[in-house]
Amino acid sequence: MHGLKKEIGFFGAFSTVVGVVIGSGVFFKAAVIYKTTGNVSLGLLAWVLAGVISICAGLTTAELAAAIPETGGMIVWVERAYGKTASFLLGWAQAVIYYPASIAAAAAIFATQFTNLFQIDKKYSILVGACGAATVTGLNLLGSKASGRIQTFATICKLIPIIAIILFGLIQPNPTTIELFPSSGSTSTASGSALAALGTAMLAAMYGYDGWINVGTIAGEMKDPKRDLPRAILYGLLFITAVYLLINVAYLMTMPMEQIAGNGNVPNDVARKLFGPNGGKIVTIGIMISVYGTMNGFTMTAMRVPYAMAAKDQIPFKNAWMKLNTFHVPYVSAIATLVLSIAMMFTGEFDTLTDFLLFTIWIFFILTFFAVFVLRKKEPNLQRPYKVPLYPVVPLIAIIGGAYIVFAAIITQFVLAISGVALTLVGLLFYTETHKKFKK
């Protein structure tokens, strides 16, 4: 029986981190952040703090990824730390909620930009999004080498308009003055309101960094995961944080913050000011490529979760989930993920889908960060080619940041949070039945 091929190197993994994370968030979350904070300094601080939390989270999970470089990533690490039940629930949440919702949210933005560019009736948006997701799945069925090349190409292409906005935005002759310290009349200057606004803005900014952990899922297909995986996560997130800060400064130098706050068309408006009437179209194409790369990265990792769960006897019909096509890709789980993603396109809009998936996955992120402490005591002799620096400070920052995200989601999106918990716990019904079958 053939296994998954080890074909992905450092740049493929780095491209997966950058390609999955840099998607719609860099273009569409600035409007929410500056509307919430009411001033530039708090808005930029929200991006920085979200980046710090993400980097600490990445450094923490990199220790697990390097020590246990197996396909499945987080579900494998959670099982080693907490057992099969927790691992199954994570895999269930990823397969049923996180990945389908992530792909559906990206497809929604892709469809919006596509219909705007070609002036197609909005009623065809779901059809366009479904077609986009289907083509991504088809390309991924050609193998990890092909999907890795697509990810690398999409990453390079998506950076072109971003870099153009940054460069021309920073060197423009008559930039808008950036007011880092607004007058005392601002609504965000009082300490209490400023902290509340910063917290809400960070929740929005965290979506911009979502997706970095997915590279751990393909560890089993990397040529040298113990060396390349930690570097891909760290360098990828540092690069992304720098890009987010620079493009926000470019936005602010091109348009006053008041015109950015609440404006859902910021990148297109900025591009028209920097490059002329056709600038908006160029950025729209860039956004489409960016989001397409995001869909590819999520699809690339999503189809391997059921495969990893089946390999550990955690789901029914394991032989079906482990079937590979001629390109050594688990095609059954790829098709199942596509079907769920299309179904979710009918259930909610972009912001609803992102709030739903963020709350659910961050519960398991916190468990994963704790797993570093658990496994250092449980398996002290486990070979660890890489250890998280400044232990235990860095993992604690990741845990505290994750706890904040979960509690903030409960307060601001209670119904969605409860729905995520309920749908996750439904998985126990399937696990119980599966567990009984394995005992026979």
Side-chain angles (χ1 to χ4, degrees):
M1 178 179 176
H2 295 287
L4 299 175
K5 288 188 174 181
K6 295 181 179 292
E7 299 179 319
I8 302 173
F10 165 75
F11 194 70
F14 175 87
S15 299
T16 300
V17 175
V18 176
V20 171
V21 174
I22 298 181
S24 55
V26 67
F27 298 109
F28 294 100
K29 288 300 180 181
V32 177
I33 288 171
Y34 294 112
K35 181 180 180 180
T36 301
T37 59
N39 70 61
V40 172
S41 56
L42 283 180
L44 293 176
L45 183 60
W47 284 111
V48 171
L49 292 179
V52 169
I53 292 172
S54 298
I55 289 171
C56 289
L59 291 172
T60 301
T61 54
E63 176 174 319
L64 300 172
I68 313 171
E70 299 178 24
T71 296
M74 193 161 57
I75 65 173
V76 179
W77 313 330
V78 168
E79 180 181 344
R80 290 281 283 266
Y82 308 108
K84 284 190 174 182
T85 301
S87 176
F88 172 81
L89 285 176
L90 168 57
W92 172 267
Q94 285 182 321
V96 177
I97 301 174
Y98 177 70
Y99 286 119
S102 297
I103 295 169
I109 293 298
F110 178 84
T112 299
Q113 298 301 309
F114 188 93
T115 53
N116 288 341
L117 181 64
F118 296 103
Q119 298 182 347
I120 299 173
D121 196 308
K122 300 293 184 183
K123 67 182 181 181
Y124 297 109
S125 292
I126 293 179
L127 177 61
V128 172
C131 288
T135 60
V136 168
T137 299
L139 292 169
N140 273 269
L141 288 174
L142 298 177
S144 61
K145 192 172 184 179
S147 55
R149 286 176 175 173
I150 294 167
Q151 194 65 47
T152 300
F153 173 77
T155 299
I156 293 172
C157 288
K158 79 169 60 179
L159 290 176
I160 293 174
I162 292 175
I163 291 173
I165 289 175
I166 290 173
L167 290 178
F168 284 88
L170 296 180
I171 65 173
Q172 58 185 298
N174 299 304
T176 299
T177 301
I178 298 178
E179 190 178 5
L180 286 176
F181 303 101
S183 64
S184 58
S186 173
T187 58
S188 297
T189 52
S191 60
S193 61
L195 288 174
L198 178 61
T200 305
M202 282 179 60
L203 185 61
M206 287 306 303
Y207 174 73
Y209 290 92
D210 184 52
W212 51 268
I213 202 168
N214 296 318
V215 72
T217 309
I218 59 172
E221 295 165 84
M222 293 181 65
K223 298 174 183 177
D224 191 355
K226 292 184 177 180
R227 183 194 67 180
D228 292 339
L229 192 54
R231 294 194 304 148
I233 293 173
L234 175 59
Y235 297 155
L237 286 172
L238 285 172
F239 176 78
I240 290 162
T241 302
V243 167
Y244 283 3
L245 285 175
L246 288 173
I247 199 168
N248 272 268
V249 171
Y251 287 161
L252 292 163
M253 290 179 67
T254 306
M255 295 171 57
M257 186 207 69
E258 292 76 14
Q259 293 181 20
I260 294 175
N263 181 358
N265 207 33
V266 172
N268 304 77
D269 290 345
V270 168
R272 278 193 290 270
K273 287 195 172 186
L274 292 176
F275 311 121
N278 292 324
K281 292 183 179 180
I282 295 172
V283 169
T284 297
I285 294 172
I287 292 172
M288 288 172 57
I289 295 174
S290 174
V291 175
Y292 196 83
T294 298
M295 282 195 289
N296 181 72
F298 278 120
T299 301
M300 183 180 180
T301 52
M303 64 177 63
R304 286 154 175 85
V305 173
Y307 177 92
M309 293 173 68
K312 293 183 175 296
D313 289 347
Q314 291 186 322
I315 53 176
F317 312 111
K318 71 170 187 175
N319 291 333
W321 297 111
M322 293 184 68
K323 283 184 178 179
L324 305 177
N325 64 9
T326 55
F327 296 99
H328 304 281
V329 174
Y331 63 93
V332 175
S333 61
I335 295 171
T337 299
L338 175 62
V339 171
L340 284 172
S341 299
I342 293 175
M344 283 200 174
M345 294 178 196
F346 290 89
T347 63
E349 298 179 350
F350 174 71
D351 288 329
T352 303
L353 289 167
T354 56
D355 290 341
F356 186 47
L357 68 92
L358 272 178
F359 171 80
T360 306
I361 200 62
W362 269 94
I363 294 175
F364 291 101
F365 280 172
I366 295 171
L367 285 177
T368 303
F369 305 150
F370 269 119
V372 172
F373 296 94
V374 173
L375 290 178
R376 283 205 180 189
K377 290 185 177 181
K378 188 177 180 180
E379 300 184 38
N381 296 324
L382 177 67
Q383 185 179 359
R384 293 175 172 82
Y386 163 88
K387 289 186 177 183
V388 58
L390 301 177
Y391 179 88
V393 175
V394 169
L396 286 175
I397 292 174
I399 291 168
I400 293 170
Y404 166 78
I405 291 169
V406 169
F407 287 125
I410 291 173
I411 294 171
T412 60
Q413 299 286 348
F414 182 76
V415 175
L416 282 179
I418 294 300
S419 300
V421 171
L423 189 52
T424 300
L425 293 178
V426 165
L428 286 174
L429 300 177
F430 293 89
Y431 177 75
T432 301
E433 183 63 25
T434 305
H435 192 63
K436 290 178 182 177
K437 288 181 180 180
F438 288 144
K439 279 191 169 184
K440 292 181 180 179

